[in-house]
Amino acid sequence: MNKKIKIILWAFFIGLIVIATWSLMPMKSLQNSESENTEDIDSDLIVVGFSQLGSESDWRSANTKSIQNALTKENGFSLIFSNGRQSQENQIKDVRSFIFQEVDYIIIAPVTETGWDTVLNEAREAGIPVIILDRMIDTEDESLYVASVGTDKYAEGKTAGLWLEKYLKEQKSGYDALQENDPFSEVTLQDESGQNTDIINIVVLEGTLNSTAQIGRSKGFEDIAVLHENWNILAFENGDFTKAKGKEVMLKYLQKFDDIDILVSQNDDMTFGAIEAIQEAGLKCGVNGKIKVISFDAVSKAFDMMEAGLINVDIECNPLQGPRIAQIIECLEKGEAFEKISYVKEQVFEAKDAGIERFARSY
Ligand code: GZL
Protein backbone atom coordinates (compact mmCIF):
# COMPACT_ATOMS: atom_id res chain seq x y z
CA MET A 1 0.00 0.00 0.00
CA ASN A 2 1.64 3.28 -1.01
CA LYS A 3 2.69 5.88 1.52
CA LYS A 4 0.09 8.47 0.48
CA ILE A 5 -2.89 6.18 1.13
CA LYS A 6 -1.40 5.24 4.52
CA ILE A 7 -1.24 8.94 5.53
CA ILE A 8 -4.85 9.53 4.45
CA LEU A 9 -6.08 6.50 6.43
CA TRP A 10 -4.14 7.59 9.56
CA ALA A 11 -5.62 11.13 9.31
CA PHE A 12 -9.12 9.64 8.93
CA PHE A 13 -8.78 7.41 12.02
CA ILE A 14 -7.34 10.26 14.16
CA GLY A 15 -10.24 12.48 13.07
CA LEU A 16 -12.73 9.78 14.15
CA ILE A 17 -11.10 9.56 17.61
CA VAL A 18 -11.27 13.39 18.08
CA ILE A 19 -14.98 13.55 17.12
CA ALA A 20 -15.85 10.63 19.40
CA THR A 21 -14.06 12.29 22.36
CA TRP A 22 -15.71 15.68 21.71
CA SER A 23 -19.23 14.22 21.59
CA LEU A 24 -18.72 12.61 25.02
CA MET A 25 -17.85 15.98 26.62
CA PRO A 26 -20.38 16.95 29.44
CA MET A 27 -23.07 19.49 28.32
CA LYS A 28 -21.80 22.19 30.71
CA SER A 29 -18.59 22.70 28.88
CA LEU A 30 -20.64 23.14 25.69
CA GLN A 31 -22.29 26.13 27.32
CA ASN A 32 -19.22 28.18 26.49
CA SER A 33 -20.23 28.05 22.83
CA GLU A 34 -23.95 28.54 23.51
CA SER A 35 -23.84 31.14 26.25
CA GLU A 36 -24.07 34.77 25.24
CA ASN A 37 -21.19 35.33 27.65
CA THR A 38 -17.79 35.29 26.07
CA GLU A 39 -15.88 34.15 29.13
CA ASP A 40 -15.66 30.39 29.87
CA ILE A 41 -18.23 29.02 32.33
CA ASP A 42 -16.28 27.31 35.08
CA SER A 43 -18.11 24.51 36.81
CA ASP A 44 -18.50 26.10 40.26
CA LEU A 45 -20.51 29.07 38.91
CA ILE A 46 -24.30 28.89 39.24
CA VAL A 47 -25.57 28.73 35.65
CA VAL A 48 -28.83 30.67 35.15
CA GLY A 49 -30.87 30.77 31.94
CA PHE A 50 -32.88 34.03 31.71
CA SER A 51 -35.71 34.41 29.19
CA GLN A 52 -36.57 38.13 29.13
CA LEU A 53 -39.85 38.89 27.35
CA GLY A 54 -38.50 41.65 25.15
CA SER A 55 -36.91 45.10 24.93
CA GLU A 56 -40.11 47.06 24.28
CA SER A 57 -39.66 49.83 26.84
CA ASP A 58 -37.21 51.83 28.96
CA TRP A 59 -38.63 49.94 31.91
CA ARG A 60 -37.75 46.59 30.33
CA SER A 61 -34.18 47.70 29.66
CA ALA A 62 -33.83 48.72 33.33
CA ASN A 63 -35.27 45.37 34.41
CA THR A 64 -32.82 43.43 32.22
CA LYS A 65 -29.90 45.51 33.49
CA SER A 66 -30.92 44.85 37.10
CA ILE A 67 -30.75 41.09 36.54
CA GLN A 68 -27.45 41.29 34.64
CA ASN A 69 -25.90 43.47 37.36
CA ALA A 70 -26.97 41.05 40.09
CA LEU A 71 -26.10 37.74 38.41
CA THR A 72 -22.48 38.48 37.57
CA LYS A 73 -19.49 36.12 37.52
CA GLU A 74 -18.07 38.04 40.49
CA ASN A 75 -21.22 37.15 42.41
CA GLY A 76 -20.81 33.48 41.46
CA PHE A 77 -23.18 33.31 38.50
CA SER A 78 -22.99 32.57 34.82
CA LEU A 79 -25.98 34.16 33.09
CA ILE A 80 -27.29 32.94 29.74
CA PHE A 81 -29.60 35.71 28.46
CA SER A 82 -32.21 35.44 25.74
CA ASN A 83 -34.56 38.16 24.42
CA GLY A 84 -38.00 36.70 23.66
CA ARG A 85 -38.95 39.70 21.51
CA GLN A 86 -42.50 39.80 23.01
CA SER A 87 -43.26 36.29 21.73
CA GLN A 88 -44.31 33.44 24.03
CA GLU A 89 -43.22 30.96 21.33
CA ASN A 90 -39.68 32.36 21.49
CA GLN A 91 -39.70 32.21 25.28
CA ILE A 92 -40.81 28.57 25.27
CA LYS A 93 -37.93 27.81 22.88
CA ASP A 94 -35.60 29.66 25.29
CA VAL A 95 -36.72 27.48 28.21
CA ARG A 96 -36.23 24.28 26.19
CA SER A 97 -32.75 25.44 25.19
CA PHE A 98 -31.88 26.11 28.84
CA ILE A 99 -33.12 22.60 29.76
CA PHE A 100 -30.96 21.12 26.98
CA GLN A 101 -27.97 23.06 28.32
CA GLU A 102 -28.67 21.68 31.82
CA VAL A 103 -28.63 25.08 33.52
CA ASP A 104 -29.00 25.23 37.31
CA TYR A 105 -31.91 27.71 37.37
CA ILE A 106 -34.32 29.26 34.87
CA ILE A 107 -35.76 32.80 35.15
CA ILE A 108 -38.74 33.73 32.97
CA ALA A 109 -40.32 37.18 32.60
CA PRO A 110 -43.52 35.89 30.94
CA VAL A 111 -44.93 38.05 28.15
CA THR A 112 -48.46 36.82 28.90
CA GLU A 113 -50.01 34.87 31.77
CA THR A 114 -51.32 31.65 30.17
CA GLY A 115 -49.80 28.72 28.24
CA TRP A 116 -46.74 27.92 30.40
CA ASP A 117 -47.68 24.61 32.11
CA THR A 118 -46.26 22.24 29.47
CA VAL A 119 -42.79 23.76 29.27
CA LEU A 120 -42.60 24.34 33.03
CA ASN A 121 -43.41 20.67 33.53
CA GLU A 122 -40.46 19.84 31.25
CA ALA A 123 -38.21 22.03 33.42
CA ARG A 124 -39.51 20.33 36.58
CA GLU A 125 -38.87 16.87 35.08
CA ALA A 126 -35.33 18.03 34.31
CA GLY A 127 -34.97 19.05 37.97
CA ILE A 128 -34.43 22.75 37.14
CA PRO A 129 -36.11 25.28 39.51
CA VAL A 130 -37.97 28.11 37.73
CA ILE A 131 -38.32 31.68 39.05
CA ILE A 132 -40.99 33.97 37.54
CA LEU A 133 -39.87 37.59 37.11
CA ASP A 134 -41.83 40.83 36.79
CA ARG A 135 -45.19 39.51 35.51
CA MET A 136 -47.04 36.39 36.69
CA ILE A 137 -48.24 33.17 35.09
CA ASP A 138 -51.78 31.83 35.37
CA THR A 139 -51.55 28.15 36.38
CA GLU A 140 -53.48 25.65 38.51
CA ASP A 141 -50.18 24.10 39.60
CA GLU A 142 -48.17 26.64 41.61
CA SER A 143 -45.46 24.05 42.23
CA LEU A 144 -44.31 24.66 38.64
CA TYR A 145 -42.29 27.63 39.89
CA VAL A 146 -40.33 28.03 43.14
CA ALA A 147 -40.67 31.81 43.45
CA SER A 148 -41.92 34.95 41.76
CA VAL A 149 -40.43 38.44 42.03
CA GLY A 150 -42.34 41.45 40.70
CA THR A 151 -44.67 44.29 41.56
CA ASP A 152 -48.34 44.49 42.55
CA LYS A 153 -49.93 45.63 39.31
CA TYR A 154 -53.47 45.65 40.72
CA ALA A 155 -52.33 48.00 43.49
CA GLU A 156 -50.69 50.21 40.87
CA GLY A 157 -53.97 50.46 38.92
CA LYS A 158 -55.94 51.21 42.08
CA THR A 159 -53.41 53.89 43.07
CA ALA A 160 -54.01 55.59 39.73
CA GLY A 161 -57.75 55.63 40.42
CA LEU A 162 -57.26 56.98 43.96
CA TRP A 163 -54.98 59.72 42.65
CA LEU A 164 -57.66 60.79 40.15
CA GLU A 165 -60.24 60.85 42.94
CA LYS A 166 -57.98 63.11 45.01
CA TYR A 167 -57.16 65.33 42.04
CA LEU A 168 -60.83 65.87 41.10
CA LYS A 169 -61.76 66.62 44.69
CA GLU A 170 -59.01 69.26 44.87
CA GLN A 171 -60.22 70.74 41.59
CA LYS A 172 -63.85 70.72 42.80
CA SER A 173 -62.96 72.30 46.16
CA GLY A 174 -60.98 74.89 44.24
CA TYR A 175 -64.06 75.56 42.12
CA ASP A 176 -66.40 75.66 45.16
CA ALA A 177 -64.02 77.99 46.97
CA LEU A 178 -64.01 80.21 43.90
CA GLN A 179 -67.82 80.20 43.85
CA GLU A 180 -68.00 81.11 47.56
CA ASN A 181 -65.56 83.99 47.15
CA ASP A 182 -66.89 85.22 43.86
CA PRO A 183 -70.37 83.89 42.95
CA PHE A 184 -70.19 85.72 39.61
CA SER A 185 -66.88 84.00 38.68
CA GLU A 186 -66.52 82.76 35.13
CA VAL A 187 -65.59 79.26 36.26
CA THR A 188 -68.55 76.94 35.94
CA LEU A 189 -69.27 73.25 35.80
CA GLN A 190 -72.41 74.02 33.78
CA ASP A 191 -72.17 74.46 30.04
CA GLU A 192 -74.50 76.78 28.08
CA SER A 193 -77.09 73.98 27.83
CA GLY A 194 -77.10 73.81 31.64
CA GLN A 195 -75.72 70.28 31.45
CA ASN A 196 -73.67 69.30 34.46
CA THR A 197 -70.21 69.23 32.89
CA ASP A 198 -68.42 67.39 35.63
CA ILE A 199 -68.60 64.26 33.52
CA ILE A 200 -64.99 63.11 33.40
CA ASN A 201 -64.13 61.64 29.99
CA ILE A 202 -61.30 59.08 30.25
CA VAL A 203 -59.34 57.19 27.61
CA VAL A 204 -57.03 54.29 28.48
CA LEU A 205 -53.93 53.01 26.66
CA GLU A 206 -53.63 49.38 27.79
CA GLY A 207 -50.42 47.34 27.80
CA THR A 208 -49.93 43.95 26.12
CA LEU A 209 -53.25 42.11 26.38
CA ASN A 210 -53.33 39.20 28.87
CA SER A 211 -50.13 40.43 30.50
CA THR A 212 -50.18 40.78 34.28
CA ALA A 213 -49.47 44.50 33.97
CA GLN A 214 -52.45 45.06 31.67
CA ILE A 215 -54.81 42.83 33.68
CA GLY A 216 -53.82 44.28 37.06
CA ARG A 217 -53.64 47.95 36.12
CA SER A 218 -56.96 47.82 34.22
CA LYS A 219 -58.80 46.03 37.04
CA GLY A 220 -57.30 48.21 39.75
CA PHE A 221 -58.29 51.44 38.01
CA GLU A 222 -61.74 50.14 37.04
CA ASP A 223 -62.50 49.12 40.64
CA ILE A 224 -62.18 52.80 41.59
CA ALA A 225 -63.80 54.19 38.43
CA VAL A 226 -66.93 52.12 39.01
CA LEU A 227 -67.52 54.06 42.26
CA HIS A 228 -67.96 57.30 40.30
CA GLU A 229 -70.95 57.46 37.96
CA ASN A 230 -69.61 60.67 36.40
CA TRP A 231 -66.35 58.95 35.31
CA ASN A 232 -66.90 58.02 31.70
CA ILE A 233 -64.33 55.59 30.22
CA LEU A 234 -64.68 56.38 26.51
CA ALA A 235 -62.24 53.72 25.26
CA PHE A 236 -59.48 51.31 26.24
CA GLU A 237 -57.23 49.87 23.54
CA ASN A 238 -53.99 47.89 23.40
CA GLY A 239 -50.88 50.02 22.91
CA ASP A 240 -48.57 47.03 23.55
CA PHE A 241 -46.37 49.04 25.94
CA THR A 242 -44.56 50.68 23.01
CA LYS A 243 -44.19 54.37 22.10
CA ALA A 244 -45.16 53.82 18.46
CA LYS A 245 -48.38 51.91 19.23
CA GLY A 246 -49.25 54.32 22.04
CA LYS A 247 -49.03 57.23 19.60
CA GLU A 248 -51.06 55.39 16.97
CA VAL A 249 -53.92 54.61 19.38
CA MET A 250 -53.90 58.12 20.89
CA LEU A 251 -54.18 59.64 17.41
CA LYS A 252 -57.25 57.47 16.87
CA TYR A 253 -58.73 58.62 20.19
CA LEU A 254 -58.15 62.29 19.31
CA GLN A 255 -59.90 61.84 15.96
CA LYS A 256 -62.82 60.01 17.57
CA PHE A 257 -63.39 62.07 20.77
CA ASP A 258 -63.35 65.86 21.02
CA ASP A 259 -63.59 66.14 24.80
CA ILE A 260 -60.99 63.95 26.51
CA ASP A 261 -60.25 65.00 30.10
CA ILE A 262 -58.00 62.19 31.33
CA LEU A 263 -55.46 59.85 29.68
CA VAL A 264 -54.57 56.74 31.67
CA SER A 265 -51.53 55.19 29.97
CA GLN A 266 -50.31 51.87 31.37
CA ASN A 267 -46.62 52.59 30.78
CA ASP A 268 -44.36 55.56 30.12
CA ASP A 269 -43.34 54.52 26.61
CA MET A 270 -46.97 54.61 25.43
CA THR A 271 -47.32 57.93 27.26
CA PHE A 272 -44.38 59.39 25.34
CA GLY A 273 -46.11 58.44 22.08
CA ALA A 274 -49.48 59.76 23.27
CA ILE A 275 -47.97 63.14 24.23
CA GLU A 276 -46.50 63.43 20.73
CA ALA A 277 -49.97 62.71 19.27
CA ILE A 278 -51.63 65.30 21.54
CA GLN A 279 -49.07 67.97 20.64
CA GLU A 280 -49.31 67.18 16.91
CA ALA A 281 -53.10 67.68 17.22
CA GLY A 282 -52.39 71.17 18.56
CA LEU A 283 -53.68 70.30 22.04
CA LYS A 284 -52.06 70.58 25.48
CA CYS A 285 -51.73 67.94 28.17
CA GLY A 286 -50.49 67.69 31.72
CA VAL A 287 -50.51 70.20 34.57
CA ASN A 288 -51.66 73.19 32.49
CA GLY A 289 -53.27 71.23 29.66
CA LYS A 290 -56.81 70.11 28.96
CA ILE A 291 -55.89 66.40 28.97
CA LYS A 292 -54.53 65.27 32.35
CA VAL A 293 -52.02 62.41 32.08
CA ILE A 294 -51.69 59.47 34.47
CA SER A 295 -48.77 57.19 33.56
CA PHE A 296 -47.06 54.06 34.98
CA ASP A 297 -43.42 53.01 35.41
CA ALA A 298 -41.71 56.31 36.44
CA VAL A 299 -38.63 55.85 34.25
CA SER A 300 -36.09 58.65 33.98
CA LYS A 301 -37.52 60.20 30.80
CA ALA A 302 -40.95 60.38 32.48
CA PHE A 303 -39.37 62.55 35.18
CA ASP A 304 -38.24 64.89 32.41
CA MET A 305 -41.86 65.00 31.19
CA MET A 306 -43.19 65.60 34.71
CA GLU A 307 -40.70 68.42 35.22
CA ALA A 308 -41.94 69.87 31.92
CA GLY A 309 -45.51 69.57 33.26
CA LEU A 310 -46.57 67.14 30.51
CA ILE A 311 -47.37 64.23 32.85
CA ASN A 312 -49.44 64.92 36.00
CA VAL A 313 -48.59 61.78 37.95
CA ASP A 314 -46.52 58.61 37.46
CA ILE A 315 -47.24 55.38 39.36
CA GLU A 316 -43.88 53.69 39.81
CA CYS A 317 -43.31 50.08 38.77
CA ASN A 318 -39.90 49.23 40.20
CA PRO A 319 -37.77 47.22 37.70
CA LEU A 320 -34.85 46.72 40.12
CA GLN A 321 -35.64 43.06 40.85
CA GLY A 322 -32.19 41.55 40.29
CA PRO A 323 -30.94 41.67 43.90
CA ARG A 324 -34.06 39.83 45.13
CA ILE A 325 -33.60 37.15 42.45
CA ALA A 326 -29.96 36.65 43.49
CA GLN A 327 -31.04 36.40 47.15
CA ILE A 328 -33.61 33.72 46.33
CA ILE A 329 -31.09 31.64 44.35
CA GLU A 330 -28.63 31.90 47.26
CA CYS A 331 -31.38 30.63 49.61
CA LEU A 332 -32.10 27.74 47.24
CA GLU A 333 -28.41 26.88 47.09
CA LYS A 334 -28.21 26.80 50.91
CA GLY A 335 -31.58 25.15 51.45
CA GLU A 336 -32.85 28.22 53.33
CA ALA A 337 -36.48 29.39 53.41
CA PHE A 338 -37.71 32.41 51.40
CA GLU A 339 -41.01 34.10 50.44
CA LYS A 340 -42.52 32.45 47.37
CA ILE A 341 -44.08 35.74 46.16
CA SER A 342 -42.01 38.95 46.56
CA TYR A 343 -43.04 42.46 45.57
CA VAL A 344 -40.40 45.20 45.31
CA LYS A 345 -41.21 48.59 46.83
CA GLU A 346 -42.69 51.40 44.70
CA GLN A 347 -43.94 54.98 45.03
CA VAL A 348 -46.13 57.59 43.32
CA PHE A 349 -44.58 60.71 41.82
CA GLU A 350 -46.44 63.95 41.02
CA ALA A 351 -45.21 66.59 38.60
CA LYS A 352 -44.80 69.20 41.36
CA ASP A 353 -42.28 67.03 43.23
CA ALA A 354 -40.52 65.37 40.27
CA GLY A 355 -37.51 67.68 40.24
CA ILE A 356 -36.59 66.80 43.80
CA GLU A 357 -37.71 63.18 43.99
CA ARG A 358 -35.74 62.08 40.92
CA PHE A 359 -32.37 62.46 42.60
CA ALA A 360 -30.59 59.22 43.54
CA ARG A 361 -32.87 57.20 41.30
CA SER A 362 -30.96 54.69 39.19
CA TYR A 363 -33.29 54.34 36.23
C1 GZL B 1 -44.60 45.92 34.52
C2 GZL B 1 -43.98 45.48 33.23
C3 GZL B 1 -44.43 46.36 32.11
C4 GZL B 1 -43.99 47.81 32.25
C5 GZL B 1 -43.78 48.17 30.83
O1 GZL B 1 -44.27 45.06 35.55
O2 GZL B 1 -44.32 44.15 32.94
O3 GZL B 1 -43.87 45.86 30.91
O4 GZL B 1 -44.92 48.62 32.90
C6 GZL B 1 -43.13 46.93 30.30
O5 GZL B 1 -42.99 49.31 30.61
O6 GZL B 1 -43.17 46.89 28.93
Side-chain angles (χ1 to χ4, degrees):
M1 189 187 305
N2 76 21
K3 200 172 174 199
K4 204 171 168 199
I5 292 173
K6 273 186 183 170
I7 290 168
I8 291 167
L9 282 174
W10 265 111
F12 176 70
F13 282 118
I14 288 167
L16 277 181
I17 292 163
V18 169
I19 289 167
T21 316
W22 181 77
S23 63
L24 293 174
M25 276 166 68
M27 287 311 298
K28 269 211 169 143
S29 56
L30 287 185
Q31 282 157 5
N32 306 351
S33 56
E34 302 203 6
S35 157
E36 287 199 12
N37 303 324
T38 48
E39 74 272 10
D40 282 349
I41 298 171
D42 58 48
S43 56
D44 58 1
L45 289 178
I46 300 168
V47 183
V48 180
F50 172 28
S51 174
Q52 178 58 287
L53 66 88
S55 47
E56 74 286 355
S57 63
D58 292 2
W59 187 95
R60 186 65 50 199
S61 308
N63 184 244
T64 297
K65 208 164 141 217
S66 175
I67 300 297
Q68 290 170 333
N69 290 346
L71 305 188
T72 58
K73 193 171 181 181
E74 295 68 39
N75 292 342
F77 295 95
S78 174
L79 183 65
I80 304 173
F81 173 80
S82 185
N83 179 342
R85 291 178 178 71
Q86 297 238 68
S87 146
Q88 181 175 43
E89 190 188 342
N90 289 347
Q91 290 199 277
I92 289 172
K93 282 182 190 147
D94 291 342
V95 174
R96 289 189 169 129
S97 163
F98 298 147
I99 293 170
F100 177 73
Q101 297 178 67
E102 296 178 343
V103 299
D104 298 310
Y105 296 93
I106 291 173
I107 301 171
I108 306 171
V111 60
T112 48
E113 291 207 341
T114 50
W116 297 96
D117 283 21
T118 303
V119 76
L120 293 188
N121 261 304
E122 292 167 21
R124 178 164 55 185
E125 278 158 23
I128 303 174
V130 173
I131 300 173
I132 304 298
L133 172 78
D134 171 27
R135 300 177 185 174
M136 269 308 275
I137 63 169
D138 177 5
T139 178
E140 298 294 317
D141 181 357
E142 300 209 332
S143 69
L144 285 172
Y145 60 96
V146 292
S148 106
V149 177
T151 58
D152 186 342
K153 319 272 193 280
Y154 174 77
E156 292 164 6
K158 204 166 173 184
T159 302
L162 294 170
W163 179 87
L164 184 54
E165 262 183 358
K166 176 175 78 80
Y167 173 80
L168 293 173
K169 270 197 196 108
E170 284 163 1
Q171 294 303 306
K172 182 95 174 52
S173 55
Y175 157 72
D176 294 347
L178 208 59
Q179 286 292 78
E180 269 153 39
N181 298 335
D182 171 5
F184 301 104
S185 76
E186 287 305 307
V187 175
T188 170
L189 289 177
Q190 308 291 327
D191 65 12
E192 51 284 355
S193 64
Q195 285 298 315
N196 179 335
T197 58
D198 72 354
I199 295 292
I200 308 295
N201 288 323
I202 302 165
V203 290
V204 181
L205 289 174
E206 288 193 315
T208 306
L209 295 185
N210 192 27
S211 71
T212 312
Q214 177 269 316
I215 295 167
R217 289 172 187 164
S218 298
K219 183 81 174 70
F221 181 78
E222 283 156 16
D223 282 357
I224 300 296
V226 76
L227 305 174
H228 300 274
E229 59 184 25
N230 65 319
W231 290 18
N232 175 27
I233 297 182
L234 297 168
F236 45 89
E237 263 195 54
N238 173 26
D240 228 6
F241 286 131
T242 66
K243 178 179 177 182
K245 193 84 190 301
K247 180 172 182 176
E248 182 192 310
V249 176
M250 191 66 202
L251 281 169
K252 258 174 66 182
Y253 286 164
L254 291 166
Q255 281 151 9
K256 193 172 175 185
F257 308 111
D258 57 10
D259 184 18
I260 298 172
D261 298 303
I262 308 288
L263 164 64
V264 179
S265 171
Q266 292 182 356
N267 90 321
D268 288 334
D269 290 71
M270 293 192 293
T271 305
F272 302 154
I275 289 171
E276 274 186 15
I278 292 167
Q279 291 174 332
E280 284 173 15
L283 299 172
K284 283 192 169 180
C285 63
V287 174
N288 301 313
K290 154 94 173 118
I291 303 175
K292 306 304 174 189
V293 178
I294 300 173
S295 190
F296 291 81
D297 282 353
V299 296
S300 176
K301 191 176 164 195
F303 276 86
D304 298 340
M305 297 280 193
M306 281 195 276
E307 285 196 85
L310 294 170
I311 294 175
N312 293 75
V313 62
D314 211 318
I315 317 297
E316 183 184 29
C317 177
N318 185 348
L320 307 181
Q321 300 165 9
R324 182 67 189 131
I325 291 278
Q327 238 175 16
I328 288 171
I329 293 177
E330 300 289 359
C331 288
L332 285 160
E333 287 288 298
K334 295 174 191 161
E336 291 170 358
F338 55 88
E339 294 286 310
K340 177 149 183 159
I341 310 281
S342 325
Y343 288 144
V344 289
K345 286 194 179 23
E346 37 203 19
Q347 306 171 67
V348 181
F349 299 100
E350 292 188 288
K352 61 185 172 53
D353 309 320
I356 297 164
E357 297 199 337
R358 72 178 306 171
F359 286 110
R361 287 178 63 75
S362 60
Y363 69 97

